[in-house]
Amino acid sequence: MDILTGLDYAGVAVFAATGALAASRKQLDFIAFLFLAAITGIGGGTIRDTILGQTPVFWVQDHIYLLICAGVGALVFFTAHRFESRYKVLLWLDAVGMAAYSVKGAAIGFSATGSSVIAIVTGILTATFGGVLRDLLSGEQSVLMRREIYLTAALFGALAWVVCHHAGLSPVVGSSIGFVVAMVIRGGALHYGWS
Amino acid sequence: MDILTGLDYAGVAVFAATGALAASRKQLDFIAFLFLAAITGIGGGTIRDTILGQTPVFWVQDHIYLLICAGVGALVFFTAHRFESRYKVLLWLDAVGMAAYSVKGAAIGFSATGSSVIAIVTGILTATFGGVLRDLLSGEQSVLMRREIYLTAALFGALAWVVCHHAGLSPVVGSSIGFVVAMVIRGGALHYGWS
Amino acid sequence: MDILTGLDYAGVAVFAATGALAASRKQLDFIAFLFLAAITGIGGGTIRDTILGQTPVFWVQDHIYLLICAGVGALVFFTAHRFESRYKVLLWLDAVGMAAYSVKGAAIGFSATGSSVIAIVTGILTATFGGVLRDLLSGEQSVLMRREIYLTAALFGALAWVVCHHAGLSPVVGSSIGFVVAMVIRGGALHYGWS
C-alpha cells in the first residue's frame, strides 16, 4: 500500500468516524452509526463521481471503502461514550478528513478533465460534501456555516496540489503538501478561532 | 402486471402519499403536493440509479412513475384533511414504502453489479432517501433520527432478499419474504416503540 | 451571444447572487460567498444533468458558469451590506433566476428525451433545486415551504415553453414567453402575497 492509498483510506476512516460521532451525539442505534459513517465517509466522493460521470461510483467498484466505514462505525459505537467532548473530537477528525479529501478530490478531478479549475472545485466538493450530508441528516448546523474558516482551507489544499502538479512535483509530495496546507489552515481556525 | 411490478408501483404510491401528507401538514398548495409526492416517491430510486450509473434514471424512461406520484398527490390533496392524525398515517405508509423499496433496491443493485454487499447498500439507499428528501424539504426532523428502529428494518429487508436469492428462491418469493421481514421490524418499532 | 445564451447567463448570475446574499445574511467569509453563489447558480442544472445522464455536467465542460458565479459572489461580497433588506432582494432575484431556469430546464429536458412530460419536470427541477440547496446549506426555511406560490410559477413557465415549442414558435419566442409567464406568476405572489 503506497502513501497515496494510505492517505485515501485515512480520509475515509476519519470522516466515517465523524459520522459515527454524530450518530453517538444523537444516541442512535448501531445500524445508524454504520449508516452515518458511510454517508460521511463516501458522500463527498459520490457526488464528485456522479458530477464527473465516473459511474458506477468508486465504492460500488471497490468494497474496501464500505468495509472501512462499517468497521469505523462499529468501533465508534463501542468507544464513543468514553470521549469527554465528542463534538470537539468530531471537529478535529473532520479537519483531517477535509484536508485528505481536498487533495484527493483535486487529483481525481484533474485526472478526469485535465482542468485546474475543475480540480480545485472537485477538491472542495469532495472535502466538504460528506460533512454537509452528515450535518443535514443529523440535524446539526452545517460545519460550513460555522464562523471559523473552513472552505478556505479546502480551497488552498486543492490549490496547493494543483500548483505542485504543474511544478512537476511527484503525486506523493504534492498530496502531502496540499494535505499539510489545508490542515494547518483549518487547524489554526479551530485552535485559534480564525475567522 | 405481475406481483413484482405491483409491489413496485405500490411502493411508489405509498411513498408519494407520505410526501403529499407532509405537504398537507405544512398547508402547501396543490402543485407542492405533487412535487413532494414525486420527490418522495422517486427520490430514493433516483439516487440509486445515478450512483450505479443507470441513467437516464428510471422515471425518465417510464412515465408511469410520475403519473402515479401525481395521481396520489392529487388524491391526498382532496382527502388528507379527513385524517385525524396525518403524521401517524404518514409513518405507517412510510413503513410500507420502505419495506417495498428495500427489496426493490436490493434487486436492482444486485442485477447491476452482481454484488451482495452493493445490493444491501442500494436496498437501504432506495428505501430511505425518498423519506430523507421529504423530511429535509418539508423541514421535519428526519425519520432516520427518530429513536425507533428504521434503518435496521431496511437492512434486514434487503438482506433477506439477498439470502433468498442465493438460496435459489424465485424473485417473487424472495421479494415477498424481504418485504414482510422489513415490514414486521418497522411495524413493531412503530407499534411497540422498539428502539 | 444570442438571446438564449444571455438568458442562460443571466439565470446563473441572479441565482448566484441569491446564494451570495444568503452568505451575507449569515456573515460568512469570502470563500463561502463564492461557494454558496456557485451551489445556487449551478446546483439545479447539476441535478438535472445527472438525472438525464448528461455527464460530465454542463459546468465541467464550460468554465464560464463557474466564472460567472465567482464574479457575482465577489461582487456581492463587496456590496451586499449596502442593501437595506437583503432577504427581499434575494427573493426577487430568486424569482428571476427561477423563471429563466424553468424555460432552460424544459428546453434541455425536451432536447434530451423528446418528452413533454420530462421537459416540464426538468424545468421545475432546474428552477427550484439551486434555491433548495442554498436554503438547506444556509439553514433557512426552504423557499418552497413559504406559503406564496412558487412551484406553480416554475411549472407554468416550463409548460408555456413546451406549448410554444409544439406550436412551432422559435426557441427565442418560446423562451421569452415562458420566462414572462413564470415571472409574472411569481412576481404577483411576491408583490400581492398570492398563495
Side-chain angles (χ1 to χ4, degrees):
Chain A
M1 187 168 81
D2 61 27
I3 191 175
L4 289 179
T5 311
L7 200 64
D8 184 16
Y9 292 169
V12 175
V14 292
F15 258 139
T18 70
L21 284 167
S24 175
R25 297 180 71 225
K26 297 283 169 182
Q27 303 186 270
L28 300 175
D29 63 24
F30 182 72
I31 303 297
F33 272 67
L34 307 196
F35 182 82
L36 274 175
I39 294 282
T40 314
I42 64 185
T46 300
I47 291 172
R48 177 199 62 223
D49 284 359
T50 56
I51 283 173
L52 293 173
Q54 298 197 325
T55 53
V57 303
F58 69 105
W59 53 266
V60 173
Q61 298 180 11
D62 185 352
H63 292 185
I64 185 77
Y65 296 99
L66 289 171
L67 293 175
I68 291 174
C69 292
V72 167
L75 185 70
V76 171
F77 183 78
F78 292 112
T79 60
H81 58 281
R82 301 197 182 181
F83 296 114
E84 244 178 73
S85 170
R86 279 169 287 184
Y87 193 54
K88 202 173 168 191
V89 175
L90 183 158
L91 284 177
W92 278 95
L93 289 176
D94 179 273
V96 176
M98 179 276 293
Y101 273 12
S102 71
V103 293
K104 190 195 171 188
I108 290 181
F110 190 86
S111 135
T113 66
S115 157
S116 300
V117 171
I118 297 300
I120 290 169
V121 171
T122 55
I124 296 173
L125 269 183
T126 312
T128 56
F129 266 80
V132 163
L133 288 172
R134 175 197 65 218
D135 296 339
L136 277 178
L137 286 175
S138 66
E140 293 284 345
Q141 191 198 24
S142 169
V143 76
L144 300 183
M145 295 300 114
R146 292 169 57 93
R147 300 290 295 280
E148 317 107 350
I149 287 170
Y150 191 97
L151 287 161
T152 304
L155 166 63
F156 277 93
L159 182 63
W161 183 92
V162 168
V163 169
C164 291
H165 180 81
H166 286 299
L169 299 179
S170 80
V172 169
V173 173
S175 295
S176 304
I177 290 177
F179 175 83
V180 169
V181 165
M183 191 64 215
V184 164
I185 296 176
R186 178 63 182 152
L190 281 175
H191 191 68
Y192 299 105
W194 292 349
S195 66
Chain B
M1 188 168 80
D2 61 26
I3 191 174
L4 289 180
T5 311
L7 200 62
D8 185 15
Y9 293 169
V12 175
V14 292
F15 259 140
T18 70
L21 283 167
S24 175
R25 298 181 71 224
K26 298 282 169 183
Q27 301 186 269
L28 300 175
D29 62 25
F30 182 71
I31 303 298
F33 272 67
L34 306 196
F35 181 82
L36 274 175
I39 293 282
T40 314
I42 63 184
T46 300
I47 291 172
R48 176 200 64 223
D49 284 359
T50 56
I51 284 173
L52 293 172
Q54 299 197 325
T55 52
V57 303
F58 69 105
W59 53 266
V60 173
Q61 298 179 10
D62 185 350
H63 292 185
I64 185 76
Y65 296 100
L66 289 171
L67 293 176
I68 292 175
C69 292
V72 168
L75 186 70
V76 172
F77 182 78
F78 292 112
T79 60
H81 58 280
R82 302 196 181 181
F83 296 114
E84 245 178 69
S85 169
R86 279 170 287 185
Y87 194 55
K88 202 173 167 191
V89 174
L90 184 158
L91 285 176
W92 278 94
L93 289 176
D94 180 272
V96 176
M98 179 276 293
Y101 274 11
S102 70
V103 295
K104 189 195 173 187
I108 289 181
F110 190 87
S111 136
T113 65
S115 157
S116 300
V117 171
I118 297 300
I120 291 169
V121 171
T122 54
I124 296 173
L125 269 183
T126 312
T128 56
F129 265 80
V132 163
L133 289 172
R134 176 197 64 219
D135 296 340
L136 278 177
L137 287 176
S138 65
E140 293 284 344
Q141 189 197 27
S142 168
V143 75
L144 300 183
M145 295 300 114
R146 292 169 58 93
R147 300 290 294 280
E148 317 108 350
I149 288 171
Y150 192 97
L151 287 160
T152 304
L155 166 63
F156 276 94
L159 182 62
W161 184 92
V162 168
V163 169
C164 291
H165 179 82
H166 287 298
L169 298 179
S170 80
V172 170
V173 173
S175 296
S176 304
I177 291 178
F179 175 82
V180 169
V181 166
M183 191 64 215
V184 165
I185 297 176
R186 178 64 181 151
L190 281 175
H191 191 69
Y192 299 106
W194 292 348
S195 66
Chain C
M1 187 168 81
D2 62 26
I3 191 174
L4 289 180
T5 311
L7 199 64
D8 184 16
Y9 293 170
V12 175
V14 291
F15 259 139
T18 69
L21 283 167
S24 175
R25 297 181 72 224
K26 297 284 170 183
Q27 303 186 268
L28 300 175
D29 63 24
F30 183 71
I31 303 298
F33 272 67
L34 306 195
F35 181 82
L36 273 175
I39 294 281
T40 314
I42 63 185
T46 300
I47 291 172
R48 176 199 63 223
D49 283 359
T50 56
I51 284 173
L52 293 173
Q54 298 197 325
T55 52
V57 303
F58 69 105
W59 52 266
V60 173
Q61 299 180 11
D62 185 352
H63 292 185
I64 184 77
Y65 296 100
L66 288 172
L67 292 175
I68 292 174
C69 291
V72 168
L75 185 70
V76 172
F77 183 77
F78 291 112
T79 60
H81 58 281
R82 302 197 181 183
F83 296 114
E84 243 178 71
S85 169
R86 279 169 287 184
Y87 194 54
K88 204 174 166 190
V89 175
L90 183 159
L91 284 177
W92 278 95
L93 290 176
D94 180 273
V96 176
M98 179 276 294
Y101 274 11
S102 71
V103 294
K104 189 193 174 191
I108 290 181
F110 190 87
S111 134
T113 66
S115 157
S116 300
V117 171
I118 297 301
I120 291 169
V121 171
T122 54
I124 296 173
L125 269 182
T126 311
T128 55
F129 265 80
V132 163
L133 289 171
R134 174 196 64 218
D135 297 339
L136 278 177
L137 287 175
S138 65
E140 294 284 343
Q141 189 197 25
S142 169
V143 75
L144 301 183
M145 295 299 113
R146 293 169 57 93
R147 300 289 295 280
E148 317 107 348
I149 286 171
Y150 191 98
L151 288 161
T152 304
L155 167 62
F156 277 94
L159 182 62
W161 184 92
V162 168
V163 169
C164 290
H165 179 81
H166 287 298
L169 299 179
S170 79
V172 169
V173 173
S175 296
S176 305
I177 291 178
F179 176 83
V180 169
V181 165
M183 191 63 214
V184 165
I185 296 176
R186 178 62 181 153
L190 281 176
H191 191 69
Y192 300 105
W194 292 349
S195 65

